[in-house]
Amino acid sequence: MIYLDNAATTLHKPSCVIDAVVNAMRTMGNSGRSAHAESLAASRTIYAAREALADLFGCARADHVCFTANSTEALNIAISGLFAPGDHVLSTDLEHNSVLRPLYREMERGVSVSFLPASRKGCIDYAGFDRLLQANTKAVVCTAGSNLTGNLLDLTRIGAFCAAHGLLFVVDASQTAGVFPIDMRAQHISVLCFTGHKSLMGPQGTGGLCVAEGVDIRPWCVGGTGVQTFLPSQPPQYPTRLEAGTRNGHGIAGLLAAVNFIRETGMDAIRTHELALARRFYEGVKDADGVRICGDFSDPVRAPVVALNIRDEESSVMADALAEDYDIAVRAGAHCAPRMHEALGTVEQGAVRFSFGYYNTEEETDAAIAAVRELAEQ
Amino acid sequence: MREKKQWLIVTFYTTSAAMAAEKACEQAGLPGRIIPVPREITSDCGLGWRTEPENRERTEALFQSLALETDGYHICML
């Protein structure tokens, strides 16, 4: 099987990740609940993961790295915990439902949101942020890169805009964490939401949010913390503030191993490999008869994702043919990105998304090219 | 039971801070270990750093230099 659905989740994990999870499941107790060796092993591992992720993302404080089950949960925490009725928020058409639905829910309680429109190529005009800015604008909430087209947003530019106007900057790094450098301090990011199981190559059920100093997020979930037991409310200190209940210590042990793997392998080497495969695939299929590629490929720096359609063939039929006849795993449909499909004009058809990971090869890429070209000829 | 003696117990608001403290002390060569916070200090659970009382000055200076937030310093018979 050729797995090209890495934007959904990376199927192939570094063996050190699997080993770390298995070892954790055999040895780790509950973090922060006791001082015996097994509990401390969990506490130390989770703290080491906070340090590693703070270092990876340029988060000023390791104790401001809060773990969640995924980036959706992290985004829910950030978006539901930062705004009040009367606030205005800027976002974009590139967003995944993990950003959109929490924002829509905020709109129901009196927060207004303006979405910077995407072009037919799925790109935004950054000057639009200035035009949409209001006196009550509190934040920009946006993705680091479209999960559908692979086009990146310029976080440095948007961060500078936020800094200039005193706005919070909430970033969904689901598609870029571990592959593209992120520096919260340099890019003025207030809250960075990430998931562990995609480009970070960690286990599913891991993710989190890194919070800049001085950013106060109201807790979304409250409960057991192992500390300050007789305090009726959730402890105000990070990370406990946003971490009620037992953390996924086993998964976080795997995530720590994944971050260490990325450091040792080199983010540049990983990115170069993945982008080369995606570009190879793009070049191999873009001129095939009837193939229409989604997004803008003029900038070589983009997430390793290529979404396409063949004439008016339904994307789910295409994906099923690729799975059944070619043993190639891709994702069809709307990819939880409704506004982006509206911008691209692919609401009815959806798109077939090929997404490349560190463990893919040129041979697999060439096989996928051949499959698409063959399907396009039919 | 073990014979009781005086210890310095440093308490923290979060488990994360206790882990940061443990790591900092280990790197600085300051002896001690993590223990469950004695209920005579607080009934609030959590982890504390236990060390000899004579280490207080060095420990406090270390934590301050790292801006490591502590809940309190306590002398206990344990």
Side-chain angles (χ1 to χ4, degrees):
Chain A
M1 186 271 294
I2 297 173
Y3 185 81
L4 297 176
D5 198 13
N6 293 283
T9 194
T10 44
L11 176 67
H12 302 293
K13 312 290 187 187
S15 58
C16 62
V17 172
I18 297 162
D19 293 344
V21 174
V22 170
N23 183 56
M25 292 187 78
R26 289 196 167 119
T27 59
M28 276 177 26
N30 194 336
S31 164
R33 302 307 193 256
S34 303
H36 54 69
E38 290 72 20
S39 177
L40 285 178
S43 298
R44 289 173 184 137
T45 300
I46 291 175
Y47 184 71
R50 295 189 206 282
E51 288 191 311
L53 287 156
D55 183 56
L56 185 71
F57 296 135
C59 182
R61 292 179 58 162
D63 63 0
H64 280 41
V65 177
C66 309
F67 287 112
T68 62
N70 46 50
S71 55
T72 295
E73 187 181 325
L75 285 158
N76 268 270
I77 291 170
I79 292 169
S80 70
L82 285 171
F83 310 126
D87 285 342
H88 173 245
V89 176
L90 295 170
S91 189
T92 80
D93 276 351
L94 274 67
E95 308 310 318
H96 187 278
N97 269 337
S98 57
V99 169
L100 295 175
R101 285 178 173 154
L103 284 177
Y104 293 154
R105 191 169 59 176
E106 288 301 290
M107 290 168 77
E108 288 172 10
R109 64 180 205 103
V111 174
S112 58
V113 183
S114 300
F115 291 95
L116 197 58
S119 67
R120 284 295 269 199
K121 283 269 187 189
C123 299
I124 60 165
D125 172 13
Y126 292 92
F129 279 126
D130 286 298
R131 287 194 294 273
L132 294 172
L133 189 68
Q134 301 177 8
N136 60 339
T137 304
K138 183 91 182 283
V140 173
V141 183
C142 70
T143 183
S146 165
N147 68 311
L148 174 54
T149 64
N151 287 125
L152 303 180
L153 290 184
D154 186 342
L155 298 185
T156 303
R157 182 171 180 171
I158 300 171
F161 169 80
C162 290
H165 296 284
L167 309 181
L168 296 169
F169 186 21
V170 180
V171 175
D172 169 14
S174 300
Q175 294 299 328
T176 65
V179 176
F180 289 89
I182 294 171
D183 187 335
M184 288 181 67
R185 280 170 286 208
Q187 295 172 312
H188 305 288
I189 296 171
S190 312
V191 185
L192 182 81
C193 301
F194 65 93
T195 196
H197 69 102
K198 295 182 193 257
S199 44
L200 280 170
M201 295 188 278
Q204 295 179 1
T206 61
L209 59 170
C210 303
V211 185
E213 275 189 286
V215 176
D216 292 332
I217 301 176
R218 291 186 301 276
W220 170 66
C221 182
V222 297
T225 56
V227 294
Q228 305 184 52
T229 299
F230 290 90
L231 188 69
S233 58
Q234 188 72 2
Q237 295 86 6
Y238 288 110
T240 311
R241 179 187 183 101
L242 302 181
E243 291 185 350
T246 299
R247 294 301 89 188
N248 176 8
H250 302 145
I252 292 167
L255 179 58
L256 172 60
V259 172
N260 288 336
F261 174 84
I262 289 168
R263 279 170 163 170
E264 286 159 16
T265 308
M267 190 186 289
D268 292 347
I270 292 170
R271 184 175 61 255
T272 300
H273 176 71
E274 293 182 359
L275 295 196
L277 294 183
R279 181 58 62 169
R280 184 184 185 93
F281 178 78
Y282 167 74
E283 295 293 343
V285 302
K286 71 181 168 66
D287 296 324
D289 184 41
V291 168
R292 188 162 39 84
I293 309 270
C294 302
D296 178 24
F297 282 74
S298 59
D299 187 346
V301 181
R302 60 195 323 292
V305 168
V306 182
L308 56 81
N309 279 307
I310 298 178
R311 284 178 283 278
D312 57 355
E313 190 65 75
E314 200 183 308
S315 62
S316 57
V317 172
M318 275 273 297
D320 191 51
L322 286 162
E324 285 297 301
D325 302 338
Y326 299 92
D327 210 13
I328 296 174
V330 296
R331 180 165 174 196
H335 314 90
C336 305
R339 299 183 76 96
M340 194 58 160
H341 276 288
E342 285 166 9
L344 297 171
T346 49
V347 170
E348 298 301 323
Q349 194 174 13
V352 185
R353 184 183 67 185
F354 298 75
S355 50
F356 297 82
Y358 182 65
Y359 289 102
N360 287 129
T361 64
E362 288 188 351
E363 291 72 27
E364 290 178 327
T365 306
D366 291 345
I369 293 169
V372 169
R373 295 189 75 90
E374 197 169 285
L375 285 168
E377 284 168 13
Q378 290 172 7
Chain B
M1 290 296 281
R2 289 173 296 191
E3 193 178 333
K4 292 197 174 184
K5 59 171 278 194
Q6 277 202 328
W7 294 98
L8 171 70
I9 311 295
V10 189
T11 54
F12 309 94
Y13 294 111
T14 66
T15 303
S16 178
M19 292 301 101
E22 180 189 49
K23 184 177 175 183
C25 288
E26 202 174 287
Q27 288 178 343
L30 272 170
R33 71 178 176 90
I34 293 286
I35 63 163
V37 173
R39 291 183 71 80
E40 70 172 86
I41 295 176
T42 173
S43 51
D44 261 349
C45 305
L47 305 176
W49 177 251
R50 190 194 78 170
T51 187
E52 305 282 348
E54 57 266 31
N55 291 330
R56 174 164 185 156
E57 206 172 311
R58 287 173 65 204
T59 305
E60 213 168 334
L62 176 66
F63 293 167
Q64 277 174 5
S65 73
L66 297 171
L68 207 158
E69 192 179 15
T70 56
D71 182 19
Y73 292 77
H74 315 267
I75 299 293
C76 288
M77 285 293 289
L78 296 173

